[in-house]
């Protein structure tokens, strides 16, 4: 029996799936810096700067803007467990995997779940949201801005207005949009928002930036019951990230370094330039796909720039194509989930992975594999 496991030796890949995206070397180097105490004065300064960068990224003045220790799903759970009390009516837009996941969490919190559905591949219709809001007093509306399972971008402004007219809170999933598409938390009056580091921010998976606005913070203060999750309780977490610096759990110090550097890279590029890059590379991909007779599942006006759901041509072997792209080109793309399994390939152009070179590599490799399969 050998005494030790073999050394780590992962093959470098071109990551063009639904996440994680490729991580710039600068971020990995930042993560290799010395680990210091989570209450070290140096670390406290890093936390303050990180919060300022997160506020600029979310385009918000919200004080309560912090990274949650956990992946994007922990961000989702944080927003919902802190706002929902048993019996609260929650209207959730469901048009893919992540609306389903939100619905599951609502039920686990003891909320009254009201689903507003759309076909997978289409955006949620604001009229349906209005109907659901008319039928009962609602605590919150939960909606996915960028549905990674279908490649659909959800317009938010009309839904935000309807939600606030009904006196409810708007909770938005921006895991696949933040850093790739405009996300304007204050302008769109989003009350609670979450994201993840591993998609358009191009930092490894492990942190979930969140932001709570005034109305959401007030709802948190008004709770009659304790937040059911100890780890994700924002009333305690804000005492660590705020002036008190009160110990809650040990912050994942080196992950925070990684996010810090990823946000610095984003600020150097500039948000507008970054969005334009994501849009241009998406458009180049769509044109190239058209050239080889392929198209996206969502309508052009509802298509994400960061995640492209490509319809699989009839006769192509879904799994075999993905396997050959990985084995012969070191290129990862994603398969379809749920009703879209075997119907779409999910091609991510997120953050550091959204480049012209990657678009051309994917188009060339796909055409080659389809011809030679
Ligand atoms: C990836 C993703 C999540 C979950 O993030 P994890 O990092 O996998 O926990 C949630 N919502 C959306 C829209 C996502 O794309």
């Amino acid at each position: 029996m050998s005494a030790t496991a073999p050394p780590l030796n992962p093959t470098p890949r071109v990551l063009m799936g639904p996440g994680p995206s490729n991580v710039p070397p600068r971020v990995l180097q930042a993560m290799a810096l010395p680990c210091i105490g989570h209450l070290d004065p140096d670390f406290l300064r890093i936390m303050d700067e990180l919060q300022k960068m997160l506020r600029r990224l979310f385009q918000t003045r919200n004080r309560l803007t912090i990274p949650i220790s956990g992946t994007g799903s922990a961000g989702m759970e944080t927003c919902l467990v802190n706002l929902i009390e048993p019996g609260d009516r929650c209207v959730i837009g469901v048009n893919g995997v992540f609306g389903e996941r939100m619905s599951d969490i609502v039920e686990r919190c003891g909320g009254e779940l009201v689903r507003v559905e759309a076909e997978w591949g289409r955006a949620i219709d604001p009229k349906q949201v209005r109907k659901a809001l008319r039928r009962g007093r609602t605590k919150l509306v939960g909606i996915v801005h960028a549905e990674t399972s279908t490649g659909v971008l959800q317009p938010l402004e009309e839904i935000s207005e309807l939600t606030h007219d009904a006196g409810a809170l708007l909770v938005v999933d921006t895991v696949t949009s933040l850093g790739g598409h405009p996300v304007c938390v204050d302008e769109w009056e989003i009350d609670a928002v979450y994201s993840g580091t591993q998609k358009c921010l191009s930092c490894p998976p492990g942190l979930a930036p969140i932001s709570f606005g005034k109305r959401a913070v007030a709802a948190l203060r008004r709770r009659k019951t304790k937040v059911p999750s100890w780890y994700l309780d924002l009333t305690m977490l804000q005492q660590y990230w705020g002036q008190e610096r009160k110990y809650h759990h040990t912050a994942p110090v080196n992950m925070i370094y990684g996010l810090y550097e990823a946000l610095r890279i984003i600020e150097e590029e500039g948000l507008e330039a970054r969005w334009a890059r994501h849009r241009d590379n998406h458009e180049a991909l769509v044109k190239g796909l058209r050239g080889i007779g392929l198209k996206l599942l969502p309508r052009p006006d509802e298509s994400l720039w960061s995640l492209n759901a490509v319809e699989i041509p009839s006769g192509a072997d879904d799994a075999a194509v993905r396997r050959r792209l990985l084995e012969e080109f070191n290129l990862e793309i994603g398969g379809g989930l749920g009703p879209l399994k075997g119907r779409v390939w999910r091609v991510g152009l997120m953050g550091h992975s959204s480049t012209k070179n990657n678009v051309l590599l994917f188009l060339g490799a796909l055409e080659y594999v389809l011809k030679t399969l």
Side-chain angles (χ1 to χ4, degrees), residues 35-46:
C35 186
I36 60 177
H38 68 111
L39 292 169
D40 188 295
D42 280 1
F43 193 66
L44 300 183
R45 278 191 289 275
I46 290 169

Side-chain angles (χ1 to χ4, degrees), residues 5 13 31 84 87 114 146 164 177 213 222 232-233 252 317 319 331 339:
R13 307 283 195 196
M31 293 175 74
I84 301 172
V114 179
H164 295 125
S177 51
R222 275 199 308 271
L232 303 176
D233 184 339
D317 180 340
L331 198 166

Side-chain angles (χ1 to χ4, degrees), residues 43-314:
F43 193 66
L44 300 183
R45 278 191 289 275
I46 290 169
M47 289 165 65
D48 287 343
E49 288 298 330
L50 182 80
Q51 283 185 279
K52 284 186 210 156
M53 287 194 284
L54 283 179
R55 288 187 194 110
R56 292 195 284 268
L57 178 65
F58 275 126
Q59 305 201 73
T60 183
R61 300 159 81 93
N62 291 341
R63 276 211 62 71
L64 182 47
T65 302
I66 62 173
I68 297 296
S69 307
T71 64
S73 306
M76 181 189 292
E77 195 138 23
T78 300
C79 289
L80 296 175
V81 295
N82 279 277
L83 293 174
I84 301 172
E85 290 191 83
D88 282 348
R89 187 170 190 270
C90 302
V91 172
I92 305 294
V94 184
N95 56 348
V97 166
F98 296 102
E100 289 287 355
R101 189 171 298 179
M102 270 199 193
S103 304
D104 187 352
I105 299 175
V106 167
E107 289 184 323
R108 286 164 193 260
C109 294
E112 180 199 336
L113 173 65
V114 179
R115 294 161 60 101
V116 172
E117 300 191 32
E119 193 187 327
W120 287 40
R122 291 302 314 274
I124 301 289
D125 180 356
K127 286 193 219 73
Q128 302 293 324
V129 175
R130 177 189 320 212
K131 251 198 227 158
L133 285 168
R134 279 193 181 143
R135 274 189 238 115
R137 170 134 197 87
T138 303
K139 176 70 168 281
L140 64 83
V141 172
I143 198 109
V144 179
H145 186 214
E147 194 26 279
T148 319
S149 61
T150 63
V152 167
L153 176 71
Q154 177 69 50
L156 291 173
E157 280 162 286
E158 195 178 343
I159 290 177
S160 172
E161 207 178 311
L162 294 169
T163 302
H164 295 125
D165 287 350
L169 298 167
L170 181 63
V171 177
V172 179
D173 179 322
T174 64
V175 176
T176 289
S177 51
L178 189 69
H181 281 262
V183 173
C184 313
V185 170
D186 287 359
E187 191 188 323
W188 298 343
E189 297 187 60
I190 300 172
D191 296 298
V193 62
Y194 60 91
S195 192
T197 46
Q198 50 139 325
K199 313 250 168 129
C200 297
L201 306 186
S202 279
C203 180
L207 291 173
I210 63 114
S211 184
F212 265 47
K214 283 201 183 77
R215 280 185 291 244
V217 170
L220 178 58
R221 290 224 183 89
R222 275 199 308 271
R223 287 184 71 101
K224 295 189 188 71
T225 55
K226 263 191 180 180
V227 175
S229 163
W230 180 89
Y231 195 69
L232 303 176
D233 184 339
L234 286 173
T235 57
M236 294 193 286
L237 285 170
Q238 69 183 347
Q239 291 175 17
Y240 172 57
W241 284 89
Q243 288 317 302
E244 300 95 323
R245 308 293 191 182
K246 194 172 157 197
Y247 166 68
H248 177 252
H249 68 271
T250 309
V253 172
N254 294 57
M255 270 309 301
I256 301 273
Y257 296 165
L259 178 57
Y260 188 99
E261 193 59 19
L263 295 177
R264 267 169 41 83
I265 291 172
I266 290 173
E267 296 206 333
E268 283 167 18
E269 181 174 15
L271 282 178
E272 307 262 336
R274 196 174 175 90
W275 300 331
R277 170 165 63 84
H278 281 78
R279 185 198 58 218
D280 292 349
N281 289 324
H282 157 76
E283 285 174 357
L285 179 75
V286 171
K287 277 202 195 111
L289 286 169
R290 201 181 300 141
I292 53 175
L294 298 178
K295 66 182 189 61
L296 299 187
L297 171 75
R299 295 191 336 203
D301 61 326
E302 291 179 353
S303 288
L304 284 170
W305 303 333
S306 45
L307 191 287
N308 301 275
V310 181
E311 288 186 356
I312 298 177
S314 61

